Amino acid sequence: MPKYDLFELVTHLKKCPEIFLKPSNLLSRDGLDSIALISDTYRMVSAIFLKKELNVPAKINFNSIDDNYWKAIHISCWLLYHHSFRNKPALENKLRLFWFEGLYHVTQYVKYKEWITDEERAEEMVRLLLLCFEILPNGESIAEAADKLSSISSVDRQKVLRQSYEAHERIMNIKREMAEKKAREAANTYGRE
Amino acid sequence: MYNQSEIEKTAAVWKSHWQQAKLEWNPLLRLQEPIWCLSNQEAQKEGLTGSFAMIRLTDHRIVINLEEIVALGISTYFIEVLAHEIGHHILAPANLYDNAILLNRIRYALPGIEDRAPMVSNLYTDFLINDKLQRINKLRISEVYKAINSEDNFSELWTLMMRTYEYLWRLNRGELAVNWSFHSKKIDADASLLASLIRSYSKNWIQGGGRFAVLLYPYLMDDKTFNDARKKILILLDAEDAGSGAIEISGMTKLDLEGYDGVIDMRKEAIGLKNDKGNKDNLGIEKSKVGGSGPRNSYMGPGNYIDLMKQVNPNADEQRLINAYYKEIALSHLIDFPVEISENVSLDLPEGLETWDIGDPIEELDWLQSSIASPVFLPGITTQKRTYGSDSDHNISEHPLNVYIGIDCSGSMMNPKLNFSWPVLAATIIGLSALRAGASVMGCLSGEPGTYLETEGFITDETDLLTTITSYLGTGYAYGMERLRKPFETEPNKKSHIVIVTDNDIFSMLDSDTETNQTHWELAEIALKNAGGHGTMVLHSQPDYQKDMVIRLKKMGWNVYYVTNETELLKFASDFSQQNYAYA
Amino acid sequence: MDESSNPQIALNDEERFPLLDDLSFLNKLRQDEFAPKFNFKSGDRLNAANLLKVKAHKKSYYDQKIFWTEGSSPIWLSDYLQWCVKTVPFYQNKNNTLESFSTIAREDIRKHPHLFVSNEANLAELLVYYTSGSTGPKLDVLFDTATQAKWLPQIESVLEDFRISIKKGKKTTAIALICAQEKTLTYASLSTYLEGAGILKINLNPADWNQPEDAKKYLEKYNPQILTGDPIAFTALMDLEPKLSPSAMISSAMKLTKVTKNKLESYFRCPVIDLYSMTECRNIAYATEKGHKVIRPDLYLEVFDEHKDIPLPYGERGELVVTGGSNPFLPLIRYRTGDFCSLIIENGAPYLIDLEARNPVVFFTKSALKINNIDISNSMSQFPLAGFKMHQRKDKLIQFVGYSNEIIAEEIIAVLNGIFKNDITLDVNIQKISQNNTVEKTQYSSELISN
């Protein structure tokens, strides 16, 4: 059983070659052959090199995957090229969960480039993958790993930021209105208080 | 009181590691050894209170309070603490000038609570330094925080700071943010944004100041919350007063438009909303108004300038600041210094060399002398500038006329400390140009009936002159003609221009009852004659107004110069200076 | 100093009176030969929607006043709490039951006025009332035009108890708010709710008038139906011996002593109603023989232990705590008034027994001129003071202790000398705010006996 060192994986991910950042050939003519890339990755993880059919859930429609999402999948394939994921047939079935559920939600908030340029997003992809694989990063307990993922989760963060931004904006608007001259002229006072 | 011998032992250990601490930054670094204080009293004498260390950008010193260090139980972290303090000198804020720029940018992002800027700046620069030292130099900065933090020093703000370090250094939740009661999803989200800010702006850190401050705004906006939070971390604030004692830092009067644009709400960016400029409804956090003042609206207002510079140097003298403000804006409109040393001896006699410091204008840097002094170029240490002799020791040239500048400082005029004043700028330009040319100047503010303020006759001292003309009275309704009596009732030793900056109300003044036999009209005529015949009334007025009276003035020999808006005063002042004081 | 705190003229008359076409009476009031030198302008700013809100308020609460009974709470309460929890940031994450709310105090509102604004409140309608407060640092009270105008139906319901009604229409001056202060805002205005009737806010200070006799002449000419003000202002008015025939006088802001009430009633020959109200929620109750009779069914009242967060049973004395108030910009839940009483219910109406409102303190110059403590509060509010205490000794020396970290003693001396007409000995002491600050509330006290 290899040690899944988080930082080693993050470092590996950030070295992702340019080629993986090309668009999918399903969206662009001279793009990357996404299906082939996925198949390769399956074969590498499962170690069954003759495997033909893809283990893709029926409800997934490749045509509905947008450019940003495809590129995230491409990048994650590079992550999965890391030697610690090779020949791990037990992980094969979990790949689907990672690609088509875990990654799906988060790609709505993360621009593909951030997966390899932003330290925290890189860590998020690694942690997300390890979570789907039910692997604990080296040296971490279940609780620690869960907390660390939740503290960098783009999905959670998005929700919280929107709330705190809106609440703050409302406060600033009230403050601004309070300073407005029109508010300060007020209205008739009829008695003393 | 802690055991004196323990403090002394600690001092010896810390001293012996000073060289090593400098190596963390640069082997060639020439920085004086810290001032080692063995007791709180000694530290207090150096101006260090509240914290165990501080930096002074003015004399490039670090002050360490070893009694406090022993008390806090961090005496084994000599490299960390010393390297951190050095970092403030080397990385951020590094020098007075950058310190002032950063403070100004942070102020933009804290509308209404600008007074928090020094603390925000301190926290921000701490991040930049600590992140480098922890991640690149592998120092144990996190351990220092662990040693100092207790549940008591936490607030929402401090939790945000510590969570940010946890994000930056991939520590477990609660390793630094030990008081869990403040943990929240909101703080996590903000900490994650801050961590990415610190990473992205480690090089161009001045650019990140606005973003940093915007993110902190909600944690600082309530007075009490802010004060409580600040009190709890006072011990860690080592650069809040870094510029204390700094004299004027030039170049700060100009508006920092780039800095203004850097006021960006990262929350908004992160949720995919654009920071549309000028769109009120869409701006989560509003910037302080830029409010350009002065020529081409490209300067900050004097009030804001004073506030900023008082944050740079809490001991700054307001009058000195306001003098520096108008002088700096006037500079580009002054006559040039005479190129040759002629008989018109003036301010340009090179008298010697002084250290050129980061806060000084770059033009003053004497490259030749600097390279003679040292082959290594270390700003503020090996850099030299020339100093020029004051003209007061020399014979004043016979040629340029002196100038008397009378300014209407009545109720209709604005206080030049609060609002940009065109008359004061005009007077500064004329006065300083005259001084450059070797003339003497008498300045007089007058708001009468009421009060007046004038220099002691014709003087050559720039500070005295500026201090007079940048003051404020706000009394009466016009310049008091009676003020011309003292300098010009009899013929002075030397001829003089008379320049009076006022408005229509001067005609009421001229007509008003003097309760003596001599009318103000007569005084105006005598004064002009005695002065030598060169007098200008600069009137803020439409040219047609009070025609008869204008003709009467002109007949006496007065020039009447109309300005219909105050910017024309600037044109008048530069033209006047060029015509009368510039060297051919 | 926060300049934006000060009221400023910012509207035109159309914006002040969206529903009134004929402003001739307003102009008459403003331009009268005896008119004071009005220094401000004001309107009720009621548009159709807001006027409707005021009328609806009258209909639902005052056409038939239904309060609550011992052991039950008003029917509107649970909806109200639910609405607060849902839309008011300060109350978020609370339960929907009143028991789950702890009390809040003035300081909460002062610190975070913006957190009390319901998300449903329309910010375009925000108004700010800035108060110096006689018992503490300044407070920004947020409200809207409808909330402000609800004062009228509330007072109408009080007057009904005296079988008095306010005549409406544009030929009459309905209300005159009388002040006797060094400086205050003054204006002539109209009321849309009262169908264009005149509203005056005037200051008796001679400096406000062109001729010394004008104040008397002006008031006599327009003879307002209702006079409002505080006991000091009413006493000052009586000293002018005007020939007025108000149908009622409403005294508030300070305690009205029995002696003063009797004097006023016999001079003006009308009931003088001692109203208990506060800026944060306006009218609460008025004084009767039995105690203070509660006015508003939309304001739920409880009595709490002064120090502990425990509600006290009916009849037990403690701090009055209010909930409700119909102001979307400041919905109150269990707000401590700082005033003390016990609560009883009689014939369906709640009464506040032995209400101790904030005591007025009158100071004197050496030559015995009366100085209103509101003038002190108002002028002190311009200083960076966290609080202050002012005490007058028997020898008339004024001892002033202010709490501030700024050097303001000289300015304060100058201002106090101004208020006391340079006819006073002052001992001004500015104390630094300490680390573990126990800055006291503003307090006035005097060893001199005032009537």
Side-chain angles (χ1 to χ4, degrees):
Chain A
M1 189 68 185
K3 281 185 177 174
Y4 289 90
D5 185 84
L6 192 93
F7 303 115
E8 191 186 321
L9 290 170
V10 168
T11 310
H12 166 76
L13 173 59
K14 288 174 73 184
K15 287 185 189 147
C16 178
E18 277 288 317
I19 180 93
F20 289 86
L21 308 182
K22 286 178 77 173
S24 165
N25 65 344
L26 296 170
L27 296 173
S28 162
R29 213 166 346 129
D30 50 356
L32 206 59
D33 187 340
S34 302
I35 307 292
L37 185 63
I38 288 181
S39 309
D40 274 355
T41 311
Y42 261 120
R43 280 194 284 271
M44 212 135 54
V45 174
S46 67
I48 305 166
F49 291 95
L50 296 174
K51 193 174 171 83
K52 276 275 152 61
E53 88 284 12
L54 281 178
N55 193 355
V56 172
K59 63 174 179 179
I60 290 289
N61 176 0
F62 282 141
N63 293 326
S64 68
I65 295 179
D66 68 10
D67 183 54
N68 193 48
Y69 188 5
W70 268 129
K71 285 172 177 164
I73 292 175
H74 297 168
I75 291 167
S76 71
C77 288
W78 162 257
L79 173 59
L80 286 155
Y81 277 16
H82 190 265
H83 59 81
S84 57
F85 297 116
R86 296 214 176 155
N87 306 334
K88 300 284 178 304
L91 300 179
E92 186 204 329
N93 283 332
K94 293 165 183 160
L95 267 175
R96 197 179 46 156
L97 180 71
F98 169 66
W99 275 330
F100 303 111
E101 287 185 33
L103 205 53
Y104 168 73
H105 292 297
V106 71
T107 54
Q108 299 177 36
Y109 304 109
V110 181
K111 292 198 194 77
Y112 72 95
K113 272 215 162 160
E114 290 171 7
W115 294 120
I116 52 175
T117 54
D118 187 300
E119 191 81 9
E120 201 175 282
R121 295 290 73 71
E123 183 177 337
E124 184 177 3
M125 183 182 273
V126 171
R127 287 190 178 279
L128 197 62
L129 180 71
L130 296 182
L131 178 76
C132 292
F133 285 177
E134 295 168 39
I135 293 170
L136 281 179
N138 189 22
E140 290 181 15
S141 68
I142 293 180
E144 278 168 3
D147 178 63
K148 285 195 169 172
L149 177 56
S150 101
S151 25
I152 57 175
S153 155
S154 295
V155 181
D156 285 5
R157 197 177 70 153
Q158 196 67 203
K159 213 164 37 187
V160 175
L161 284 176
R162 187 170 291 275
Q163 273 169 6
S164 63
Y165 172 75
E166 280 167 4
H168 187 62
E169 189 181 54
R170 174 84 178 167
I171 288 170
M172 294 309 280
N173 281 335
I174 294 170
K175 284 193 158 190
R176 191 163 37 233
E177 289 299 328
M178 282 172 71
E180 276 284 318
K181 285 185 177 178
K182 288 194 178 193
R184 294 281 169 185
E185 188 180 304
N188 291 347
T189 308
Y190 304 99
R192 287 294 310 278
E193 256 115 22
Chain B
M1 231 358 223
Y2 281 80
N3 184 332
Q4 198 57 37
S5 74
E6 193 189 340
I7 294 172
E8 276 164 24
K9 242 191 281 169
T10 307
V13 176
W14 281 55
K15 277 184 203 177
S16 69
H17 286 86
W18 169 244
Q19 287 303 328
Q20 197 190 330
K22 286 204 292 185
L23 288 180
E24 297 292 340
W25 290 96
N26 180 352
L28 289 175
L29 180 65
R30 285 170 42 166
L31 192 64
Q32 271 187 288
E33 205 175 298
I35 297 165
W36 310 102
C37 303
L38 298 180
S39 68
N40 292 336
Q41 291 93 311
E42 275 182 44
Q44 204 162 357
K45 268 187 223 149
E46 293 294 335
L48 170 57
T49 51
S51 181
F52 54 85
M54 74 166 182
I55 62 147
R56 290 200 303 229
L57 292 171
T58 39
D59 59 356
H60 313 275
R61 293 303 288 262
I62 292 166
V63 185
I64 301 286
N65 178 356
L66 289 149
E67 180 175 351
E68 193 66 44
I69 282 178
V70 171
L72 286 168
I74 52 170
S75 47
T76 55
Y77 297 104
F78 31 82
I79 297 291
E80 281 79 9
V81 172
L82 293 174
H84 176 93
E85 300 309 321
I86 296 169
H88 278 307
H89 277 302
I90 297 298
L91 179 67
N95 59 61
L96 288 168
Y97 186 64
D98 285 352
N99 185 42
I101 294 184
L102 178 63
L103 272 174
N104 193 31
R105 293 187 167 190
I106 288 174
R107 285 168 58 89
Y108 280 144
L110 301 176
I113 52 168
E114 287 90 348
D115 59 318
R116 279 74 155 155
M119 184 182 88
V120 171
S121 165
N122 199 157
L123 294 172
Y124 179 55
T125 52
D126 282 352
F127 269 117
L128 299 161
I129 294 163
N130 290 341
D131 192 43
K132 178 196 156 8
L133 293 177
Q134 173 96 9
R135 289 204 299 171
I136 297 167
N137 301 43
K138 310 283 179 212
L139 296 186
R140 306 163 296 169
I141 303 291
S142 55
E143 299 301 314
V144 180
Y145 278 120
K146 281 184 200 170
I148 294 169
N149 280 339
S150 70
E151 291 208 359
D152 299 339
N153 61 1
F154 277 85
S155 57
E156 272 212 311
L157 175 70
W158 196 241
T159 306
L160 172 66
M161 299 294 99
M162 290 299 111
R163 280 295 286 150
T164 304
Y165 282 118
E166 288 175 356
Y167 273 86
L168 275 171
W169 303 334
R170 292 207 173 81
L171 305 173
N172 286 327
R173 177 189 293 280
E175 274 190 68
L176 298 181
V178 294
N179 187 333
W180 287 64
S181 65
F182 287 103
H183 286 222
S184 70
K185 291 225 160 205
K186 180 184 88 167
I187 288 179
D188 282 0
D190 289 346
S192 117
L193 290 178
L194 278 184
S196 90
L197 172 86
I198 299 302
R199 284 193 213 108
S200 319
Y201 286 90
S202 60
K203 298 283 185 296
N204 304 317
W205 53 269
I206 282 192
Q207 263 84 349
R211 280 186 162 81
F212 183 82
V214 172
L215 208 91
L216 260 57
Y217 189 104
Y219 297 86
L220 303 170
M221 69 181 180
D222 180 59
D223 287 348
K224 194 175 174 299
T225 319
F226 163 73
N227 285 325
D228 288 353
R230 186 177 172 281
K231 223 181 283 166
K232 288 174 175 177
I233 55 168
L234 204 56
I235 194 80
L236 290 152
L237 297 176
D238 56 350
E240 262 197 330
D241 293 342
S244 194
I247 49 164
E248 297 87 46
I249 298 165
S250 43
M252 292 311 299
T253 53
K254 274 241 159 154
L255 279 181
D256 180 359
L257 293 172
E258 188 196 0
Y260 190 67
D261 290 339
V263 177
I264 288 167
D265 190 340
M266 291 192 293
R267 296 180 194 88
K268 196 170 181 181
E269 282 181 317
I271 59 175
L273 295 175
K274 284 202 188 103
N275 273 286
D276 318 323
K277 256 162 238 124
N279 187 345
K280 234 181 165 189
D281 302 329
N282 219 355
L283 213 61
I285 193 150
E286 208 179 5
K287 306 167 188 183
S288 288
K289 295 208 173 60
V290 196
S293 301
R296 295 180 303 285
N297 290 328
S298 57
Y299 296 89
M300 68 168 87
N304 200 6
Y305 177 80
I306 292 176
D307 284 352
L308 167 67
M309 298 315 271
K310 284 200 128 180
Q311 288 188 338
V312 171
N313 171 17
N315 307 321
D317 175 58
E318 225 172 84
Q319 187 60 54
R320 266 183 93 150
L321 290 175
I322 205 69
N323 290 358
Y325 175 81
Y326 284 99
K327 182 183 172 184
E328 189 171 309
I329 298 175
L331 271 181
S332 60
H333 304 282
L334 298 189
I335 58 157
D336 295 334
F337 275 115
V339 197
E340 282 174 66
I341 301 160
S342 67
E343 282 168 49
N344 299 304
V345 180
S346 101
L347 292 157
D348 70 332
L349 272 183
E351 218 169 44
L353 294 167
E354 265 180 22
T355 303
W356 176 92
D357 214 332
I358 294 285
D360 296 327
I362 191 86
E363 308 90 71
E364 287 183 5
L365 174 60
D366 189 325
W367 296 93
L368 179 64
Q369 289 301 332
S370 301
S371 56
I372 291 170
S374 161
V376 188
F377 183 80
L378 290 167
I381 294 164
T382 69
T383 45
Q384 306 277 302
K385 70 173 176 184
R386 261 198 193 284
T387 56
Y388 294 93
S390 152
D391 54 355
S392 54
D393 296 338
H394 305 281
N395 294 321
I396 292 164
S397 159
E398 293 288 320
H399 302 298
L401 264 57
N402 287 344
V403 62
Y404 173 91
I405 309 169
I407 305 178
D408 178 349
C409 197
S410 61
S412 56
M413 298 293 166
M414 297 216 253
N415 186 339
K417 285 191 180 69
L418 304 177
N419 298 95
F420 183 85
S421 162
W422 293 94
V424 169
L425 178 66
T428 307
I429 291 170
I430 295 171
L432 295 186
S433 290
L435 290 183
R436 275 194 176 182
S440 302
V441 183
M442 179 165 180
C444 175
L445 297 185
S446 160
E448 304 191 41
T451 51
Y452 67 96
L453 180 74
E454 60 188 10
T455 56
E456 282 184 41
F458 287 90
I459 58 166
T460 54
D461 186 284
E462 181 185 293
T463 307
D464 284 355
L465 176 66
L466 287 174
T467 300
T468 301
I469 59 186
T470 57
S471 294
Y472 182 64
L473 309 171
T475 54
Y477 65 89
Y479 172 83
M481 290 310 291
E482 189 59 26
R483 290 312 123 230
L484 288 175
R485 186 177 304 281
K486 195 155 117 196
F488 302 118
E489 187 171 36
T490 57
E491 209 171 308
N493 298 337
K494 218 183 127 181
K495 285 187 176 178
S496 172
H497 295 283
I498 302 176
V499 177
I500 292 170
V501 183
T502 184
D503 58 18
N504 283 328
D505 293 332
I506 194 70
F507 296 115
S508 314
M509 178 59 72
L510 281 163
D511 272 345
S512 66
D513 185 9
T514 57
E515 292 172 13
T516 64
N517 292 331
Q518 190 187 45
T519 66
H520 282 143
W521 288 100
E522 285 159 358
L523 179 59
E525 187 163 14
I526 291 166
L528 182 64
K529 200 172 111 242
N530 287 338
H534 302 280
T536 307
M537 293 260 181
V538 184
L539 291 183
H540 194 279
S541 159
Q542 292 299 329
D544 289 342
Y545 192 76
Q546 300 280 25
K547 247 187 193 155
D548 298 346
M549 301 218 205
V550 171
I551 290 167
R552 192 168 166 190
L553 277 177
K554 283 185 174 166
K555 275 194 182 148
M556 290 176 188
W558 285 91
N559 294 315
V560 177
Y561 189 99
Y562 293 99
V563 292
T564 47
N565 62 53
E566 291 194 301
T567 53
E568 289 171 14
L569 269 176
L570 173 63
K571 186 171 164 11
F572 167 77
S574 358
D575 291 352
F576 183 90
S577 304
Q578 289 299 327
Q579 279 159 23
N580 295 294
Y581 294 112
Y583 287 73
Chain C
M1 252 165 273
D2 186 8
E3 269 179 51
S4 65
S5 292
N6 297 324
Q8 298 173 46
I9 294 176
L11 306 173
N12 57 40
D13 282 341
E14 255 171 67
E15 294 168 299
R16 291 189 187 101
F17 308 103
L19 298 180
L20 297 178
D21 299 325
D22 179 3
L23 301 181
S24 56
F25 188 56
L26 175 67
N27 292 329
K28 199 173 158 199
L29 287 171
R30 279 180 183 162
Q31 292 157 12
D32 192 277
E33 58 176 321
F34 303 123
K37 300 180 230 169
F38 286 120
N39 60 22
F40 203 63
K41 293 188 170 172
S42 176
D44 61 16
R45 299 169 74 165
L46 286 179
N47 58 22
N50 285 323
L51 181 61
L52 209 63
K53 277 189 209 165
V54 181
K55 289 186 171 165
H57 179 74
K58 177 180 165 69
K59 200 166 157 32
S60 33
Y61 295 109
Y62 298 102
D63 280 358
Q64 199 194 353
K65 279 197 196 183
I66 299 169
F67 291 92
W68 57 92
T69 57
E70 279 187 37
S72 80
S73 49
I75 39 168
W76 51 264
L77 187 68
S78 108
D79 285 349
Y80 172 74
L81 296 177
Q82 214 168 342
W83 173 81
C84 286
V85 169
K86 212 177 99 196
T87 77
V88 181
F90 191 88
Y91 300 122
Q92 266 166 20
N93 312 320
K94 293 265 174 45
N95 254 323
N96 284 344
T97 58
L98 189 62
E99 292 67 42
S100 68
F101 288 86
S102 46
T103 55
I104 57 170
R106 187 183 170 91
E107 191 60 12
D108 294 302
I109 300 176
R110 200 187 64 74
K111 268 167 58 185
H112 331 271
H114 40 267
L115 293 185
F116 286 91
V117 177
S118 161
N119 290 333
E120 287 181 0
N122 177 2
L123 294 189
E125 301 199 333
L126 170 71
L127 303 180
V128 183
Y129 185 82
Y130 152 84
T131 160
S132 59
S134 52
T135 55
K138 68 163 194 170
L139 180 71
D140 277 332
V141 175
L142 310 187
F143 58 99
D144 58 12
T145 51
T147 308
Q148 179 75 340
K150 285 172 194 167
W151 188 91
L152 292 165
Q154 289 161 12
I155 290 305
E156 278 180 322
S157 83
V158 174
L159 294 173
E160 256 171 48
D161 289 357
F162 297 83
R163 310 205 183 291
I164 295 168
S165 62
I166 304 178
K167 278 198 293 290
K168 300 181 177 185
K170 62 189 173 193
K171 295 229 152 48
T172 172
T173 301
I175 296 163
L177 168 50
I178 311 291
C179 305
Q181 288 165 233
E182 183 64 30
K183 218 177 132 188
T184 187
L185 297 181
T186 56
Y187 50 80
S189 184
L190 302 176
S191 164
T192 309
Y193 174 81
L194 297 175
E195 294 163 17
I199 304 290
L200 294 172
K201 180 162 187 273
I202 64 166
N203 189 4
L204 298 178
N205 184 349
D208 272 41
W209 303 80
N210 294 315
Q211 300 294 329
E213 288 289 291
D214 282 1
K216 188 176 159 186
K217 288 181 184 164
Y218 185 72
L219 284 171
E220 285 176 351
K221 183 164 177 183
Y222 292 99
N223 199 14
Q225 298 176 52
I226 309 289
L227 297 174
T228 64
D230 61 49
I232 291 179
F234 284 155
T235 310
L237 178 66
M238 192 165 58
D239 289 348
L240 294 178
E241 298 181 359
K243 293 186 191 69
L244 299 176
S245 52
S247 44
M249 293 168 80
I250 296 172
S251 169
S252 54
M254 294 171 174
K255 201 165 181 166
L256 176 67
T257 61
K258 212 163 190 158
V259 183
T260 313
K261 181 177 151 86
N262 291 342
K263 273 188 191 168
L264 291 171
E265 287 187 337
S266 72
Y267 181 86
F268 289 101
R269 284 161 305 163
C270 71
V272 176
I273 300 164
D274 184 11
L275 187 74
Y276 168 52
S277 70
M278 58 198 306
T279 325
E280 299 88 317
C281 63
R282 307 284 142 100
N283 305 320
I284 299 175
Y286 72 91
T288 68
E289 291 288 309
K290 266 181 242 163
H292 280 75
K293 188 176 177 192
V294 172
I295 300 170
R296 293 168 60 187
D298 61 322
L299 208 55
Y300 180 58
L301 305 176
E302 296 172 281
V303 167
F304 266 69
D305 184 279
E306 182 182 359
H307 305 290
K308 285 176 261 164
D309 225 28
I310 302 168
L312 302 177
Y314 282 82
E316 251 182 69
R317 188 173 176 77
E319 187 171 357
L320 183 68
V321 167
V322 302
T323 297
S326 315
N327 178 1
F329 288 89
L330 184 53
L332 297 171
I333 299 180
R334 286 194 159 167
Y335 177 68
R336 284 184 181 263
T337 58
D339 299 318
F340 292 81
C341 65
S342 61
L343 194 60
I344 59 160
I345 294 186
E346 235 182 76
N347 298 328
Y351 286 82
L352 312 177
I353 306 302
D354 295 331
L355 176 68
E356 248 182 54
R358 303 154 205 194
N359 292 321
V361 178
V362 180
F363 297 102
F364 294 89
T365 64
K366 282 184 187 166
S367 39
L369 265 174
K370 284 181 194 172
I371 303 297
N372 190 331
N373 68 15
I374 299 247
D375 276 330
I376 316 275
S377 292
N378 280 341
S379 51
M380 287 308 133
S381 69
Q382 62 172 308
F383 289 109
L385 284 166
F388 64 93
K389 280 191 295 187
M390 188 160 138
H391 178 75
Q392 186 159 35
R393 288 197 325 216
K394 268 203 179 105
D395 59 4
K396 289 199 173 161
L397 177 112
I398 294 278
Q399 293 171 318
F400 182 96
V401 181
Y403 301 92
S404 178
N405 285 338
E406 295 184 37
I407 301 153
I408 47 173
E410 281 188 18
E411 291 169 70
I412 287 182
I413 290 170
V415 166
L416 289 177
N417 269 321
I419 296 171
F420 284 86
K421 323 278 184 215
N422 289 316
D423 183 28
I424 197 71
T425 313
L426 293 168
D427 173 9
V428 172
N429 174 9
I430 302 299
Q431 296 184 357
K432 290 250 174 202
I433 300 165
S434 63
Q435 300 274 330
N436 19 341
N437 37 123
T438 40
V439 177
E440 290 168 72
K441 278 190 170 182
T442 306
Q443 281 178 357
Y444 297 104
S445 52
S446 175
E447 291 170 27
L448 297 168
I449 298 139
S450 64
N451 47 347

